[in-house]
Amino acid sequence: MEIPLGRKVLEANDKVAEILRGQFRERGLTVINMVSSPGAGKTSLLERLCERLAGRIPMAVIEGDLATDADARRLAPYGIPVHQIVTGTTCHLDAGMIQSALERLPLDGIRLLIIENVGNLVCPASYDLGEQYRVVVISVTEGEDKPLKYPPVFTAASAVVINKVDLLPYLKFDMPLLRDAVHRMNPGAVVLETSCSTPEGALPWTEWVAARIGAD
Ligand code: MG
Ligand code: ZN
């Protein structure tokens, strides 16, 4: 596991994140940082987003994983620039990793950059990547107590995507309780219910992203 985070590490991260935020703003680039536990469906949501937007909106993706470029390969069919960061033992992305990735991911003409963070609900909450929007994805199979157990990542979220809602008939899952927990923690967060098993199921997410970049 990780050594406890020093304030210096986070302060250094925040400085780089501010530089990135300035660069993103200058380019008119919208950046979304997707955070979730492993297996909540971030890559599936990205696949649905690519189906909807790739070819119409110039977009790029940065994938963060401990090992393998499997997620980057899943997005290859959509023909968009995808850069895989393999973090090894580090269970989050930091702003320095994004800065290095951008040296190899040309952003000219790109309007939307999605960063798929390493599957982890704990320390990604502490690392600002310079993004305008943080999206937390949870799946209904994880139970409705996630916001209560992992508050920091939810308090900084612009949107909370509740994924795999097609499985609700098979589960005891209290959606009103979850929505209430999110809103008590973060009244400004938008809650989106999705399923990636059909394009229609992912519409609340794809439309939310499209609206962020002024696309329809
Ligand atoms: Mg993934
Ligand atoms: Zn970590």
Side-chain angles (χ1 to χ4, degrees), residues 2 5 89-93 118 120 122-124 127:
E2 221 169 34
L5 299 169
T89 55
T90 306
C91 51
H92 57 267
L93 294 176
V118 179
N120 176 359
V122 186
C123 39
Y127 288 88

Side-chain angles (χ1 to χ4, degrees), residues 5-39:
L5 299 169
R7 185 184 288 181
K8 271 188 181 162
V9 173
L10 290 177
E11 278 174 2
N13 183 82
D14 285 349
K15 274 186 194 147
V16 179
E18 272 318 306
I19 294 168
L20 289 174
R21 202 182 325 280
Q23 290 170 350
F24 297 152
R25 197 185 306 119
E26 238 166 67
R27 289 178 171 277
L29 182 66
T30 300
V31 182
I32 299 175
N33 177 11
M34 296 176 81
V35 180
S36 81
S37 334

Side-chain angles (χ1 to χ4, degrees), residues 39 41-44 46 63-65 71 74 116-117:
K42 295 187 298 305
T43 313
S44 298
L46 270 177
E63 285 286 346
D65 282 292
D71 284 358
R74 277 173 67 183
E116 182 183 336
N117 218 310

Side-chain angles (χ1 to χ4, degrees), residues 88-173:
T89 55
T90 306
C91 51
H92 57 267
L93 294 176
D94 66 34
M97 294 178 199
I98 301 301
Q99 203 171 36
S100 308
L102 293 180
E103 288 165 18
R104 269 156 289 157
L105 184 72
L107 290 179
D108 288 337
I110 298 290
R111 279 178 59 197
L112 174 66
L113 172 65
I114 311 266
I115 301 169
E116 182 183 336
N117 218 310
V118 179
N120 176 359
L121 276 183
V122 186
C123 39
S126 305
Y127 288 88
D128 185 357
L129 303 180
E131 76 271 16
Q132 292 101 327
Y133 302 103
R134 184 173 300 179
V135 175
V136 181
V137 182
I138 57 175
S139 63
V140 293
T141 52
E142 295 170 54
E144 64 280 294
D145 55 359
K146 275 278 154 75
L148 302 172
K149 287 182 174 170
Y150 302 92
V153 79
F154 287 91
T155 51
S158 308
V160 176
V161 177
I162 305 169
N163 196 27
K164 309 190 189 179
V165 293
D166 51 322
L167 299 178
L168 281 173
Y170 311 101
L171 302 166
K172 267 193 180 153
F173 184 90

